[in-house]
Amino acid sequence: MSLTTPLLSPNVYGAKKKQGPFDTIYYLKGALAGGLCCSITHGALCPVDVVKTRIQLQPQKYNRGMFAGFGQVIAEEGVGALATGLGPTVVGYFVQGWFKFGGVEFFKINISQQLGEKKAWDNRIPIYLASAAMAEFIADIFLCPLEATRIRLVSNPSYASGLITAFPKILADDGLIKGFYSGFGPILFKQIPYTMAKFAVQGAAAEKIYAVTGINSNTASEGTKLAVSLSSGVVAGVAAAIISHPADTLLSLINKEGAGGEGSIMTRLGRLAYETGFVKLCLTGLGARCVMIGSLTAGQFGIFDTIMTLTGASKFKFTNPDEQ
């Protein structure tokens, strides 16, 4: 099959309805929607991320929970401190969302076309997982330098005034690899399982919601579809946050100036993991992150679906050919 081959899906009357075409324009719409949904949601939740990162980096100081953490940051540094790292957050997650959502659409559609409708339906969860892993790996190559810059600014607000001044300073101080890619291993360990869970759980949760409520996804209103996207997104976000949290904690720690001492990235990561301990890696800041990622993921799927609808793109759906 070609990249623009239409797939077939059963409509409410049992006849076959064409999906697609899934061409370059479709994938660009998916990438744009992905970039915007990630940029908007991560930017909006920047204050939560600032507090979450402080809890991870300074647990002895920020040890009274997320809401108290907000008060501590504002009392000590002013309300503007909650926007620390906003520049690299918005830019970094637009780029990441472009490749992540656009990549997932590209990979899952083309894998499905190669397998055929029946095999694609039977293997939809593995297809979600594989597509998410491949798309996220590509996205993280571009995200990692901007995430390193964000964490450096949050952990040390006096380091630079923002993205434009911090980026060249990190490059001059630490070099390309140590400065921007020390966290590449943790970001892969964090983001790939996170994204795999995010898309697979969201897809499964949406299916379950439609089945339990008896709603036909082919004939449901756009408002109903949006509600399903938001509900399944919350479930997916919490699951993904729990799975990826230890690596997220390590990522925050490794990007602190001088963290882990000298040696290779893996040596420094191993030292930090040992010093922190397994329980703290799994639990420090987890509550704040579940709140953040649950709402963020719901928002992402809601915004993504809305933008795709506004651009006239009809989203790809796995369909069961045995249902008439």
Side-chain angles (χ1 to χ4, degrees), residues 4-24:
T4 59
T5 303
L7 298 180
L8 299 174
S9 65
N11 64 19
V12 69
Y13 301 108
K16 293 289 186 179
K17 183 175 68 174
K18 288 184 178 180
Q19 293 195 70
F22 300 113
D23 52 13
T24 302

Side-chain angles (χ1 to χ4, degrees):
M1 293 184 178
S2 71
L3 298 187
T4 59
T5 303
L7 298 180
L8 299 174
S9 65
N11 64 19
V12 69
Y13 301 108
K16 293 289 186 179
K17 183 175 68 174
K18 288 184 178 180
Q19 293 195 70
F22 300 113
D23 52 13
T24 302
I25 297 299
Y26 175 85
Y27 296 126
L28 287 174
K29 288 177 179 178
L32 176 63
L36 289 173
C37 78
C38 288
S39 182
I40 291 168
T41 52
H42 278 278
L45 287 170
C46 184
V48 178
D49 208 19
V50 168
V51 176
K52 184 267 299 181
T53 303
R54 295 287 178 88
I55 292 171
Q56 290 174 317
L57 296 178
Q58 302 174 60
Q60 299 83 7
K61 180 178 180 181
Y62 296 94
N63 57 9
R64 291 182 289 155
M66 181 175 65
F67 293 108
F70 273 100
Q72 285 178 269
V73 172
I74 293 171
E76 293 177 7
E77 304 170 43
V79 71
L82 295 175
T84 303
L86 180 61
T89 296
V90 170
V91 174
Y93 282 97
F94 178 86
V95 174
Q96 189 231 23
W98 177 281
F99 287 101
K100 175 160 67 176
F101 278 82
V104 167
E105 289 297 306
F106 177 83
F107 288 123
K108 76 179 181 184
I109 289 169
N110 283 280
I111 292 171
S112 297
Q113 288 176 339
Q114 293 300 314
L115 291 177
E117 187 180 16
K118 174 62 175 172
K119 285 186 177 180
W121 172 257
D122 291 339
N123 294 281
R124 60 196 183 281
I125 298 301
I127 292 172
Y128 273 127
L129 294 172
S131 300
M134 291 186 287
E136 187 60 54
F137 181 85
I138 296 168
D140 288 345
I141 295 172
F142 298 93
L143 173 65
C144 196
L146 290 152
E147 181 70 354
T149 304
R150 181 194 70 80
I151 292 173
R152 183 69 64 92
L153 289 171
V154 171
S155 64
N156 183 8
S158 63
Y159 184 79
S161 60
L163 171 63
I164 295 174
T165 53
F167 213 82
K169 188 174 180 182
I170 294 172
L171 187 62
D173 289 348
D174 298 326
L176 177 66
I177 301 301
K178 184 178 180 182
F180 294 123
Y181 286 96
S182 288
F184 190 57
I187 212 170
L188 291 178
F189 287 127
K190 166 194 167 186
Q191 288 294 136
I192 289 180
Y194 162 77
T195 301
M196 291 170 72
K198 171 178 172 174
F199 282 93
V201 172
Q202 192 271 339
E207 276 185 28
K208 183 63 69 176
I209 291 170
Y210 281 120
V212 168
T213 59
I215 298 170
N216 188 315
S217 62
N218 290 318
T219 58
S221 67
E222 293 302 324
T224 299
K225 291 178 182 178
L226 179 60
V228 172
S229 292
L230 292 172
S231 302
S232 57
V234 171
V235 176
V238 172
I242 294 169
I243 289 169
S244 62
H245 190 67
D248 182 69
T249 302
L250 274 180
L251 179 63
S252 294
L253 293 170
I254 196 68
N255 282 300
K256 281 181 72 177
E257 203 168 354
E262 298 300 321
S264 67
I265 291 173
M266 294 309 297
T267 299
R268 293 168 59 209
L269 286 172
R271 194 176 291 129
L272 285 170
Y274 177 77
E275 291 171 355
T276 306
F278 180 74
V279 173
K280 287 185 178 179
L281 281 177
C282 293
L283 298 179
T284 301
L286 180 59
R289 190 156 186 266
C290 283
V291 172
M292 175 184 170
I293 300 300
S295 54
L296 179 146
T297 303
Q300 285 179 358
F301 282 111
I303 294 169
F304 179 82
D305 286 0
T306 299
I307 293 174
M308 291 293 276
T309 299
L310 291 174
T311 60
S314 180
K315 275 184 65 182
F316 168 81
K317 293 187 296 184
F318 289 104
T319 54
N320 185 355
D322 296 332
E323 289 185 358
Q324 295 296 324

